[in-house]
Amino acid sequence: MADLQWKPNSSPSIPLHKQIEEYIKEKILNGEWTVGTKIPSQRALAAAFGVNRSTVVTALDELTALGFIEGKSGGGTRVINNTWSLLTSTPPPDWNTYVKAGIHQPNLPTIQEINRAEFVPGVIRLGTGELSPELLPTDKMETIFRNLSQRAMPLGYEGPKGNLYLRQQISTYVKSLGIDCSPSSILVVSGALQALQLISIGLLHRGSTILLEKPSYLYSVHVFQSSGMKLFGVPLDEQGIQTSLIAQFKKQHNGALLYTIPSFHNPTGTLMSEKRRTQLMKVCENESLPIIEDDVYRDLWLDAPPPKPLKAFDKNGIVLYLGSMSKTVSPGLRIGWVIGPEPVIDRLADIKMQTDYGSSSLSQWAAAEWFSSGLYEEHIESVREQLKIRRETAIQALEKHIGDIATWTAPTGGFYIWVRLLPTISIRKLFEKALAEGILLNPGNIYDLHANQYLRLSYAYASLTDLTSGIEKLSILIRLLAVSDR
C-alpha cells in the first residue's frame, strides 16, 4: 500500500512507539490515509521503520484506543471514523471506492512488491531488466548535453509524430537493419510500453484477443487487459513462437493481432531463427494478422548479430515495429519509436497528443545526438563486451551452485536466463524468503501463470560480486525449501 520512507528518530527524548503513533495519526488527519485504507502489517511496518515488532504493536494499540484504526480478523487493520475530530468533520470521499472503480487494472501484487523493493538500498536485484548503473553512459551523456547546450535548441513542444531530426536519424538507423521507412511513418514515444498503450486504445476494440508467445513480458503488465482485451499464449520452442499453431489459434480465439519479441525474448532469452521469422511472416500475411514486433533488445547481441527484423520482410504493411533506447542507453531517457503504415502512425500520433502532448523535447534532441554523433554504436559495443562478462559470470555461478537442481539455456544476447527449478517448491515462498535475505527475484509465473517452477534471472543489473553471491544464497534457499516442502 504505502511507500514508507520515514524513520523514527533514535533520540531518547520521545519513545519510538510514540513517534510512530504520531506519524500514522498525521497520515490519517492529513487525508493521506483515508477511512477504509488498509494499514501495512505489523511485520511490514517494523521492517520499514527499523524497529522491533513490539514497538509497532504498542503504537497501533494506542491508535486503536483513540479510534483511528481497527483490526479485524482476516481483514487486516484499517483506518476508521471513530475519533472525535473525524466524527465532527464532514465525511471525506471514499477514495477506496474510486480506486477500485478505475478502468486500468492494478499491477499483479508480486509486480508491485518488485517495483517497491527495487528502490530499497542494499537489495541484490537478480531479476531487474535494465542496465546496471555501472554500464550507463554517464560521461557520454554529459558530452551529448554539452554539445546540445552550445547550439540554439528549441525548448517548445515537438510535432505530433515527434522531432523531425530524430525521426530522420531513426530512419537512417533502421535502414542498417534492413527496414526502409520515411520519417513520416515513424512516431516517437516515451518508451515501447507507451507504444503498446497507444495501440491498445487506438487500434483495437474491446473484447479483442491478442496472440503472443507463452510465456511473455506482456502478461506482466495490464496494457491490453485494461482496455478490455484478452491475451492468448502460443507455445515457444528453441526457434521461437510455434507458427504452425497460429492459424488455428487465430480462428478459435478470433485473434486481432500477434505480439512477439523475436530477438532475445523476454523472459526466456530465445532468439527466433531466420527460418522461423520467414514462416511467421508468411502465416500472418495469409491470415491477414497484424504483428507488433517488439525489438528493444536487438542491439544487445553477444555472440553474433540476430537475423533481420520481421519488419525488414514486410512488403504489405502488416508489422508495427517497436524500438527503444531504454534497454541500450538509459531507461531515464524515455525515448522509443513505432514504425508502421502512415495512417496507423497518424492515428497513434493523434492519441499521443491527447495524452501527453509529445515526449520530452530535450530527450528527443539527446536521442538524435546519440545517433548522429556516432556515440551510440561506440557505446553499444562497450555494453556488449560487459554483458558477455556478466553472462559468463552468471552461467558459472549457476553451474557451480544450482547445476544439479536447475536447467537453463545460455542466451546469445539480451539480459535474461530462463531458469527451470527441478525440485517442486513454492515459487511464492522462494520469492518471500529471498526478499527477506535481501535478494529480489522475478518469479516465472508473472510471465505465465503456469510457469511455477521458473525464474527470470537477469545478468544485466547486479554487480559481478552480487551476481555470484546472490546465486549462491539462492541455491541455499531452494535446497531448504525443497526439503521443507516435501
Side-chain angles (χ1 to χ4, degrees):
M1 173 208 103
D3 185 12
L4 300 171
Q5 300 296 325
W6 175 84
K7 292 279 193 299
N9 192 324
S10 58
S11 169
S13 58
I14 304 176
L16 292 174
H17 76 271
K18 200 66 182 174
Q19 294 182 53
I20 294 170
E21 176 192 332
E22 290 300 320
Y23 171 77
I24 295 176
K25 187 190 298 182
E26 187 175 340
K27 285 277 190 185
I28 295 170
L29 292 176
N30 287 345
E32 294 181 59
W33 292 3
T34 55
V35 171
T37 298
K38 187 175 181 179
I39 302 295
S41 69
Q42 296 171 2
R43 191 184 303 277
L45 288 172
F49 297 150
V51 299
N52 293 328
R53 188 174 173 183
S54 59
T55 303
V56 170
V57 170
T58 302
L60 295 183
D61 286 346
E62 288 292 328
L63 290 165
T64 301
L66 291 169
F68 281 96
I69 60 176
E70 179 181 57
K72 290 186 177 180
S73 178
T77 301
R78 297 181 182 274
V79 176
I80 58 173
N81 195 24
N82 286 350
T83 71
W84 180 251
S85 60
L86 292 176
L87 286 168
T88 56
S89 64
T90 303
D94 184 357
W95 283 111
N96 291 292
T97 301
Y98 285 87
V99 167
K100 291 174 183 176
I103 62 172
H104 202 289
Q105 296 182 22
N107 264 326
L108 298 168
T110 302
I111 295 287
Q112 293 186 38
E113 290 178 82
I114 290 171
N115 289 342
R116 288 192 293 265
E118 284 185 332
F119 294 94
V120 175
V123 169
I124 297 176
R125 293 159 61 173
L126 289 184
T128 298
E130 62 188 70
L131 290 176
S132 166
E134 301 169 10
L135 301 185
L136 295 179
T138 305
D139 292 342
K140 287 185 174 64
M141 193 68 84
E142 288 178 358
T143 300
I144 292 287
F145 280 105
R146 193 180 306 116
N147 292 343
L148 290 174
S149 69
Q150 294 172 359
R151 68 180 74 156
M153 184 177 60
L155 296 178
Y157 294 118
E158 299 290 348
K161 294 182 182 180
N163 180 289
L164 176 59
Y165 182 51
L166 173 56
R167 287 185 285 125
Q168 290 169 339
Q169 293 300 315
I170 294 170
S171 176
T172 301
Y173 160 69
V174 298
K175 192 176 182 66
S176 69
L177 308 178
I179 300 173
D180 286 314
C181 67
S182 63
S184 59
S185 63
I186 299 172
L187 170 65
V188 177
V189 290
S190 300
L193 182 58
Q194 187 185 46
L196 295 175
Q197 291 170 329
L198 295 173
I199 291 167
S200 73
I201 61 176
L203 302 181
L204 301 168
H205 60 76
R206 294 184 67 83
S208 297
T209 296
I210 313 301
L211 303 181
L212 71 165
E213 291 116 342
K214 183 179 182 180
S216 175
Y217 153 79
L218 202 57
Y219 281 108
S220 69
V221 291
H222 285 154
V223 176
F224 288 100
Q225 299 96 313
S226 294
S227 298
M229 296 164 207
K230 297 167 286 189
L231 305 182
F232 190 86
V234 182
L236 280 166
D237 61 24
E238 66 279 359
Q239 293 191 59
I241 193 168
Q242 295 186 27
T243 52
S244 61
L245 301 173
I246 290 174
Q248 172 192 339
F249 286 176
K250 176 183 182 289
K251 182 178 181 180
Q252 287 179 349
H253 303 282
N254 195 27
L257 59 77
L258 183 138
Y259 170 85
T260 180
I261 310 174
S263 297
F264 316 120
H265 176 260
N266 180 3
T268 67
T270 302
L271 175 62
M272 189 183 294
S273 66
E274 184 171 358
K275 180 180 179 182
R276 187 62 58 86
R277 292 172 192 240
T278 303
Q279 292 170 342
L280 179 58
M281 286 299 296
K282 184 176 181 180
V283 168
C284 290
E285 286 171 352
N286 289 341
E287 295 293 327
S288 298
L289 182 65
I291 299 172
I292 300 175
E293 180 179 14
D294 192 339
D295 213 22
V296 299
Y297 299 98
R298 156 165 292 277
D299 286 340
L300 297 170
W301 55 267
L302 303 183
D303 300 324
K308 288 183 178 180
L310 299 171
K311 187 64 179 173
F313 303 101
D314 182 20
K315 304 304 178 187
N316 298 309
I318 70 167
V319 179
L320 296 180
Y321 182 83
L322 311 186
S324 174
M325 283 190 163
S326 294
K327 303 300 181 184
T328 54
V329 175
S330 165
L333 200 59
R334 303 310 302 138
I335 291 295
W337 49 89
V338 190
I339 299 173
E342 286 192 32
V344 174
I345 297 302
D346 289 342
R347 166 68 169 156
L348 299 182
D350 176 57
I351 298 174
K352 179 167 170 58
M353 289 297 283
Q354 298 178 54
T355 304
D356 65 5
Y357 224 73
S359 300
S360 162
S361 59
L362 288 174
S363 290
Q364 291 189 63
W365 278 106
E369 186 74 13
W370 270 104
F371 284 126
S372 64
S373 66
L375 287 175
Y376 178 77
E377 190 56 41
E378 181 183 315
H379 163 69
I380 205 65
E381 287 178 5
S382 172
V383 167
R384 289 189 195 116
E385 290 304 313
Q386 293 301 313
L387 286 178
K388 281 182 186 178
I389 295 170
R390 289 166 167 272
R391 177 187 62 178
E392 295 313 307
T393 299
I395 294 293
Q396 288 173 11
L398 288 171
E399 289 172 347
K400 179 178 179 180
H401 297 293
I402 63 172
D404 60 329
I405 56 171
T407 62
W408 61 87
T409 299
T412 58
F415 291 164
Y416 310 116
I417 305 172
W418 189 234
V419 179
R420 178 174 175 248
L421 306 179
L422 298 179
T424 300
I425 63 172
S426 165
I427 204 75
R428 177 64 199 178
K429 284 183 183 177
L430 179 61
F431 174 82
E432 291 173 349
K433 289 184 179 296
L435 191 55
E437 294 293 325
I439 301 169
L440 182 59
L441 303 174
N442 279 45
N445 56 11
I446 62 178
Y447 309 106
D448 174 5
L449 189 61
H450 302 292
N452 290 317
Q453 296 301 304
Y454 286 85
L455 295 172
R456 189 191 79 175
L457 185 88
S458 167
Y459 48 82
Y461 191 85
S463 68
L464 294 177
T465 301
D466 283 349
L467 266 176
T468 303
S469 65
I471 291 171
E472 182 177 4
K473 292 176 183 176
L474 179 61
S475 166
I476 296 169
L477 293 173
I478 294 170
R479 294 176 194 277
L480 289 172
L481 278 172
V483 173
S484 64
D485 285 356
R486 281 180 186 171

